[in-house]
Amino acid sequence: MHILSVKDPAFRKYGRVITNVDFTQLVEEMKKTPVPDGVVYEPGINALEALPVKKELETITYGEMPVQIGYCNGHNSKLNAVEYHRSSEINVAATDAILILGLLANVAEDFTYDTSKMEAFLVPAGTGVEVFATSLHYAPCGVDGQGFQVAIVLPQGTNYPLEGAHQKVEQGKAPSEDALLAATNKWLIGHAEGGLPEGSFLGLVGENLDVSK
């Protein structure tokens, strides 16, 4: 894949680089978090949320909404799925990392999405970016096969288990957007090669993108 920088103008439709928040302490604390062979996501980590940057992000970036700070770490080079939220997500890279991004506006009426429309962006270590709510994204990817550590900031409660009843995928099709809901504030469209749990909507059409190719 052709990989652009988050400083490239092409990134502006997906998000922005955050320049008015100091992420130094968060990056240092992130360096203590595990980097497994696969990918692990934790929505909220006490050691990260105890840092002063949490209050700063709540005040400056999220307009006084409460947030959670967790991480997505590991080794990965593939897209596997896309997700979106009803809110922006902040990613703070403790290591170099690559984000594969698309636009929610390009999801078809049957909730399928052509992966050829996606673009990849390098987030240098120490950089924080806001990924807009209108952007499709998933787990970060490492650079040149290396592991990655990325802090994930979202409104409080996001990505936790659902409590209510929602529509299900029927014969491989999603009867409504509600069938895409995989966790609180998380709508998910998977790829057939992505290894998602049974019952997930596999609506990604085309190649399971791989940043190593």
Side-chain angles (χ1 to χ4, degrees), residues 120-140:
F121 296 90
L122 173 66
V123 187
T127 303
V129 296
E130 177 184 355
V131 178
F132 298 150
T134 50
S135 296
L136 304 173
H137 61 280
Y138 202 51

Side-chain angles (χ1 to χ4, degrees), residues 4 9 30 39 45 47 60 80 116 121 126 133 139-140 142 152 157 196-197 199 207:
L4 301 169
M30 276 293 299
V39 176
I45 297 295
I60 294 176
N80 294 325
S116 68
F121 296 90
I152 307 292
L196 268 63
E207 183 181 354

Side-chain angles (χ1 to χ4, degrees), residues 7 13 18 20 44 49 57 60 65 76 92-93 102 117 120 122 126 132 136 141 144 155 166 170-171 185 187:
K7 295 181 181 179
K13 60 181 173 288
I18 298 174
N20 60 341
E49 294 180 344
L57 287 166
I60 294 176
M65 284 199 307
N76 178 49
V92 182
K117 298 179 183 292
L122 173 66
F132 298 150
L136 304 173
C141 298
D144 296 329
H166 296 271
E170 299 174 357
Q171 298 180 337
N185 192 26
W187 289 263

Side-chain angles (χ1 to χ4, degrees), residues 109-129:
E109 289 186 4
D110 63 355
F111 307 108
T112 58
Y113 178 82
D114 184 348
T115 62
S116 68
K117 298 179 183 292
M118 304 196 83
E119 296 181 280
F121 296 90
L122 173 66
V123 187
T127 303
V129 296

Side-chain angles (χ1 to χ4, degrees), residues 52-180:
V53 72
K54 179 176 183 286
K55 185 64 176 177
E56 190 174 3
L57 287 166
E58 288 176 333
T59 302
I60 294 176
T61 311
Y62 279 94
E64 299 195 3
M65 284 199 307
V67 302
Q68 62 196 33
I69 306 178
Y71 61 73
C72 188
N73 292 356
H75 289 77
N76 178 49
S77 67
K78 295 185 177 182
L79 175 63
N80 294 325
V82 297
E83 67 180 18
Y84 59 94
H85 314 292
R86 293 288 188 252
S87 53
S88 290
E89 173 177 310
I90 292 173
N91 290 181
V92 182
T95 62
D96 289 349
I98 297 169
L99 300 179
I100 306 176
L101 303 173
L103 293 175
L104 179 59
N106 289 333
V107 174
E109 289 186 4
D110 63 355
F111 307 108
T112 58
Y113 178 82
D114 184 348
T115 62
S116 68
K117 298 179 183 292
M118 304 196 83
E119 296 181 280
F121 296 90
L122 173 66
V123 187
T127 303
V129 296
E130 177 184 355
V131 178
F132 298 150
T134 50
S135 296
L136 304 173
H137 61 280
Y138 202 51
C141 298
V143 176
D144 296 329
Q146 300 298 307
F148 64 86
Q149 295 170 300
V150 178
I152 307 292
V153 185
L154 281 160
Q156 198 172 85
T158 299
N159 285 331
Y160 282 92
L162 296 168
E163 296 181 359
H166 296 271
Q167 286 192 297
K168 304 295 183 184
V169 175
E170 299 174 357
Q171 298 180 337
K173 297 182 179 181
S176 74
E177 187 190 39
D178 192 46
L180 276 56

